[in-house]
Each structure stands twice: as C-alpha cells, then as structure tokens.
Amino acid sequence: MEKQIHHLVSELKASIQEDPLQGAGALVEFAMENASDNKQVHQALVLKMNYMQSADQGKKEQLVADMLALADRFSSTSSGGGMAVAAVSSAQALQVVKKDDIVCEGRNINKVFRRGGFGLKDIDFCFRLGEITGVVGENGNGKTTLFRIAVGELAADSGVLHFPYIEGQAGVTTGNWERIKEHIAFIPQDIERWYGSVKDNLHYELAVHGILDKENLEEVEYIIYRLGLEKHQNKSWNQLSGGYKLRFALARALVWKPKLLVIDEPLANLDIKAQLIILNDLRDLANSYRYPLSIVISSQHLHEIENVSDRIIFLKEGNMIFNGRVDELGNERQENTFEFASDLSVEELERRLAGFEYYSLENTGLAYVIRTPLSITYQELFQIFLKAEIPIGYFRDISQSTKKLFV
Amino acid sequence: MDSNDPIHLRKEEVHRLVASSNLPKALKRSMDFVSDFSTDRSRIKEVIALNRKYSELQDQYQEGQVDESSYQKENNLLVFNLLELLDQV
C-alpha cells in the first residue's frame, strides 16, 4: 500500500512539474481521495486557487514548490483511501422536507375573459417542491393568466385547484386562501414601486409574516448576502438598476421562505450576465435541502429557461401544447429541426443543398429553420453544410426544444 | 463516506468552486450549505461574517487600500476559515 502511494505521489509530482495548472487539479483530486487530514485538502484547494489567480512568474514558481512539498507530505501521512471526514456531523440528524411533494396542482382549469374572448382551455399543471417549471409561449397566450390563477389573484371559471403540500401544513385547511397564500410568493413582470431602503423593506416584509426580533435581523442579513445585495442594502428604489430591483423583489419574496415562488418574465430587462446569475441562484434555491421550493417562471428566453427548468409548459392561444419534463421534449417527433444563421439567400441555400433530402427550409427573419428526416443528426447536417460550403453564423439543434414550436 | 451523501456532494461542490477560483459562488453555496445542513444557528452568523469580510476585502483591494500581498494573505485566510467552517457543520 505504502509503495503504491509513493508511486502515485511520484506521478503527481511529475504532473505538477510538467504542467502546473493541470498538476494543481490533480493535486486537489489526489488530496480529496487520499488525504488523511482535512487541512491537507484545504491546502491543495488554496494552492490551486492561488495558482489560477497569480500572474506573477516568481509567485507561480513558489506555488509549484509548495504543491510539490504538499505532495511529499501525502507520502508520509496519506491514509490511502477516502477523503478526510469531519469528526461529528450535526447534519446527520437533520430532518429534511421531502422533495417532489406537490405544492400546487391544477386540473381542467378554464378561464374566459368576456372582453376579447381570450381564455385558458382545460389546463393541467403540477408544481413540485425542488422543481423549476418554465412556462413559455408568445405574449398574450395565457402565461400571466395561468400564474394569477395559481397564486389566487384570479378565479378560474371551472376546474380544480389545490395545494396538497401547503394544505398539509399546520393550521392550513383546504380552500383557506388566507392561509394558503402565506406560503406563496408572486413576482409580477412590473415590480411595484416601493419606498424606504432595501434593508428596511426586508425587515418589514418579515415582520408582516410574523418574524420579529433577532430572527428578523438574522434572516434579513442572510438574504442580503445570499442574493448579493450587500452593497445596495441602504439604497432606495430610484438608486437601483433593473437587475437589482429584481434581486430585491426576489429577496423580499424569499426571505420568509415560501413554498411556491411564481415569477413572471424576470429576464425581460436583464443583460446576459445578470440573467445567468439569477437563473443559477433560482436553481440553487429550488434545490435547497432544508427549504426546497417550487419555482414557476415564464420567459421568452427559451434556451435559458430550458437549461434551468425541470419541466416545461408551452401555451399557445390559451391551449396547453406541451406539459412535461424538459428531457421529454420532442420525444415523439417525426422530424429533426435545426436553426442556423447564414448570409446566403434561401434560393442560394436551396441550390447548394440540392441532392440532400430535407422537408422544408424557411427564413424566420432572424435565422433559417430546416426540417429533416429523423435519421439526420446535427453532426451529419453540419458536415453537409461544410461540404456545400455554406457559411454558418450559428447553428443549433432545436429538435428537442420548445423553440421549434415557435417557428 | 457515501459519495452520494448530499452533505459530501455539496461540500465537494464548494471545494471545486474554490479550486476553480470562483470565490463569490463558493461563498453563496457555503451559505446554502450551512443553511441546509447546520443545526447550529451560530454557523449562519459565521458564514455571513465571512461573506461580509470577503466583500470588504474586495472593496479595499479595488480602492488600493491593501497591497497585493496582504490581499492574498487575507483572502487565503478567509478561504481556510470557510473550509474549516464547512467541516464543522
């Protein structure tokens, strides 16, 4: 065993000397697998972090020497199996909420607006703890109506709406909207103006939910740092950008730990970086072990929403066209659909693609959409484009995306 | 240790974020970790304090109030404290 560890350490050291960055990664992996002491794991992590951050050659050389010295220490102290373990974990005793519990369920929900005649028709949905449901569809197709019904702002004409998980909580009886709503947070597309500072509003929000004193102070501080509002906590409405207004709205909604969070078009006015941060945060928060929540989110940013969601609902003219898991999208398709951008005209594309079997090629205004037999994969189509010398700006397989339902 | 144990997986996630030098995300996920798995509320205060310290350190560094060497030293100390805190949960 000892011989084996010595051999592995020699290989590790060679790897560090040959390519320090890659070697630093190997050092971390080795430490996580073999270190007998958590401190050695921590040292490996910090050495790799410092190597990545450092631009100074002299410092990098010192870090390589430190990495080699740490590797040597593994030879003498390694346990030879299994990462070091904390002595006692208080977390072992933790009782957690069971994920997948249904928070909100709607069956055959119908709603018709007398003016204009628009309505939702026989909509079914099921929002579960720990899951993100993305609701997509063009503007005016019923997303906001569906949200307002789910959160109790609008009554359906017919159908059944219930909240199994919430109604199972102490003091909440079936149909008692006043109590059910205590577990639901709704962030509309147009966030209402508020007064005072970010921090004061969060304290107030918690107080309204009966959380006072020390707990109020602690929870507000937690959510401020968790959502990156620390530099903005004393600012007012006028001093916040659109992205931070949304962050504040999220903080205000999450600070009292709802079970259902419904957000209407949160990405509309955010730049790409802000969108990614918000979506990553939502994913992490939905997955919480102790306080999982069900998140329902609508957006026109299909790719981003599909990436973050577990389930997708696609609405068209008030009808539910798709309702299922993201990985089920397109499972029953009869063709493949690809989207691409090219400077060529439709006529020129058709000329260059002569002899290649495809069902249709259309220009959507911003890009082309080509439909092919199922047997054509994106790799094959890409090869065909290369052979036909078709210049491509971008290329995306949308066969299993709601995007193809829009084009 | 069970490699599917959520505590192990989540701690490893923070370790990988630290190793890839993504400290802002590592700190956020540490807050989630402590909130999810600690039964001791004082740990929440500790993780918030580390976040506060990180935020202040970034500001001081950007405003030129601390030199590179002190910044690195403080940053490393903060990360060691963070990793130790996770081990104590």
Side-chain angles (χ1 to χ4, degrees):
Chain A
M1 188 67 178
E2 201 177 314
K3 227 175 181 182
Q4 198 186 350
I5 290 287
H6 278 300
H7 176 68
L8 289 172
V9 168
S10 297
E11 279 186 353
L12 177 62
K13 287 173 71 178
S15 159
I16 293 167
Q17 280 163 330
E18 196 182 311
D19 181 343
L21 184 56
Q22 212 174 333
L27 181 75
V28 166
E29 296 300 328
F30 190 93
M32 287 166 101
E33 286 286 319
N34 299 292
S36 58
D37 177 0
N38 282 346
K39 285 200 166 55
Q40 290 181 335
V41 179
H42 301 172
Q43 281 164 5
L45 292 167
V46 171
L47 283 170
K48 178 160 189 277
M49 179 188 80
N50 286 344
Y51 194 86
M52 287 190 74
Q53 288 174 342
S54 181
D56 181 84
Q57 195 52 36
K59 198 173 271 177
K60 283 193 164 186
E61 282 167 14
Q62 181 57 51
L63 286 165
V64 169
D66 292 345
M67 284 191 247
L68 293 171
L70 179 59
D72 273 334
R73 288 208 293 281
F74 288 141
S75 284
S76 52
T77 60
S78 176
S79 64
M83 183 185 155
V85 185
V88 180
S89 175
S90 57
Q92 305 299 333
L94 179 69
Q95 291 291 312
V96 294
V97 179
K98 189 170 158 274
K99 283 195 181 181
D100 301 332
D101 278 334
I102 296 170
V103 180
C104 174
E105 188 175 27
R107 292 277 168 246
N108 301 110
I109 299 289
N110 286 279
K111 175 75 190 175
V112 177
F113 292 98
R114 281 188 204 135
R115 200 183 296 171
F118 170 79
L120 288 178
K121 294 150 202 147
D122 284 330
I123 303 293
D124 292 340
F125 56 85
C126 190
F127 306 141
R128 291 177 173 82
L129 277 184
E131 280 192 350
I132 297 182
T133 304
V135 181
V136 298
E138 287 172 4
N139 286 337
N141 278 256
K143 300 190 297 290
T144 302
T145 303
L146 172 65
F147 284 3
R148 292 185 63 209
I149 290 172
V151 303
E153 270 198 3
L154 191 66
D157 295 340
S158 63
V160 179
L161 182 67
H162 66 127
F163 299 82
Y165 180 79
I166 295 172
E167 286 161 1
Q169 302 291 299
V172 187
T173 50
T174 304
N176 183 346
W177 269 109
E178 201 179 320
R179 300 304 305 273
I180 290 169
K181 281 187 177 183
E182 288 174 3
H183 299 268
I184 300 173
F186 178 42
I187 303 179
Q189 189 175 354
D190 296 318
I191 300 166
E192 209 173 304
R193 189 197 163 102
W194 40 268
Y195 297 90
S197 72
V198 164
K199 198 176 181 180
D200 287 346
N201 272 277
L202 293 174
H203 285 305
Y204 177 74
E205 189 70 19
L206 268 180
V208 166
H209 284 86
I211 300 164
L212 306 166
D213 304 327
K214 203 174 147 199
E215 194 184 348
N216 184 306
L217 296 172
E218 284 174 6
E219 293 293 350
V220 167
E221 196 167 27
Y222 181 88
I223 204 72
I224 280 175
Y225 279 92
R226 179 58 185 85
L227 292 181
L229 283 162
E230 64 270 19
K231 291 188 174 69
H232 307 276
Q233 56 184 304
N234 296 315
K235 289 183 180 172
S236 61
W237 167 272
N238 287 331
Q239 294 169 306
L240 291 181
S241 66
Y244 279 100
K245 281 188 178 108
L246 178 64
R247 291 205 148 253
F248 165 75
L250 269 178
R252 190 166 60 176
L254 293 169
V255 72
W256 47 272
K257 298 183 173 60
K259 289 295 158 211
L260 175 63
L261 171 64
V262 180
I263 323 173
D264 200 2
E265 298 280 356
L267 309 181
N269 299 312
L270 302 183
D271 59 45
I272 289 173
K273 194 180 167 200
Q275 285 177 16
L276 286 176
I277 293 172
I278 290 277
L279 290 175
N280 277 327
D281 278 344
L282 290 177
R283 181 71 268 173
D284 291 340
L285 294 163
N287 282 347
S288 169
Y289 203 68
R290 186 178 295 196
Y291 308 107
L293 77 154
S294 177
I295 296 177
V296 189
I297 178 170
S298 69
S299 179
Q300 306 285 339
H301 296 75
L302 303 179
H303 190 59
E304 288 77 6
I305 284 298
E306 283 173 11
N307 274 343
V308 79
S309 298
D310 300 287
R311 290 174 184 274
I312 290 286
I313 291 174
F314 177 67
L315 294 175
K316 193 169 187 180
E317 293 167 1
N319 293 295
M320 189 171 273
I321 305 296
F322 178 82
N323 179 6
R325 295 196 63 82
V326 173
D327 51 19
E328 292 168 352
L329 270 165
N331 271 1
E332 290 170 15
R333 69 191 187 279
Q334 302 297 314
E335 60 192 21
N336 279 336
T337 311
F338 304 92
E339 187 181 60
F340 65 97
S342 178
D343 292 337
L344 299 181
S345 64
V346 180
E347 293 75 21
E348 183 56 24
L349 282 169
E350 284 171 345
R351 193 184 67 75
R352 295 195 193 193
L353 290 171
F356 163 61
E357 187 196 355
Y358 61 91
Y359 298 143
S360 66
L361 172 69
E362 56 182 297
N363 188 345
T364 63
L366 293 170
Y368 286 105
V369 171
I370 187 166
R371 292 184 167 86
T372 72
L374 271 179
S375 57
I376 303 293
T377 64
Y378 75 91
Q379 292 99 327
E380 285 167 330
L381 184 61
F382 208 74
Q383 286 296 326
I384 289 162
F385 280 180
L386 285 174
K387 259 190 206 162
E389 295 183 347
I390 294 172
I392 301 291
Y394 86 92
F395 181 90
R396 183 175 285 173
D397 182 352
I398 57 170
S399 307
Q400 292 186 279
S401 165
T402 46
K403 183 77 186 270
K404 72 171 186 168
L405 301 170
F406 283 81
V407 294
Chain B
M1 182 183 285
D2 177 6
S3 59
N4 289 322
D5 169 28
I7 299 173
H8 173 75
L9 291 173
R10 292 272 297 275
K11 198 190 288 185
E12 198 175 287
E13 181 193 351
V14 176
H15 284 181
R16 294 195 189 286
L17 288 165
V18 168
S20 62
S21 193
N22 189 350
L23 273 191
K25 177 85 178 172
L27 282 158
K28 275 185 178 184
R29 292 302 280 155
S30 298
M31 292 184 83
D32 294 342
F33 181 86
V34 173
S35 167
D36 275 346
F37 300 121
S38 178
T39 47
D40 179 356
R41 281 198 71 83
S42 68
R43 301 279 181 231
I44 303 248
K45 280 187 180 172
E46 288 175 44
V47 78
I48 292 172
L50 288 171
N51 271 270
R52 187 184 301 114
K53 201 168 179 186
Y54 178 74
S55 183
E56 285 167 3
L57 187 61
Q58 294 300 308
D59 287 348
Q60 287 166 358
Y61 183 61
Q62 277 160 18
E63 286 163 18
Q65 293 169 12
V66 286
D67 60 33
E68 177 79 30
S69 162
S70 311
Y71 168 75
Q72 183 119 48
K73 222 171 169 178
E74 287 291 316
N75 207 42
N76 286 353
L77 184 63
L78 190 146
V79 173
F80 278 123
N81 288 338
L82 181 72
L83 296 170
E84 263 175 41
L85 173 63
L86 299 188
D87 283 344
Q88 286 162 10
V89 170

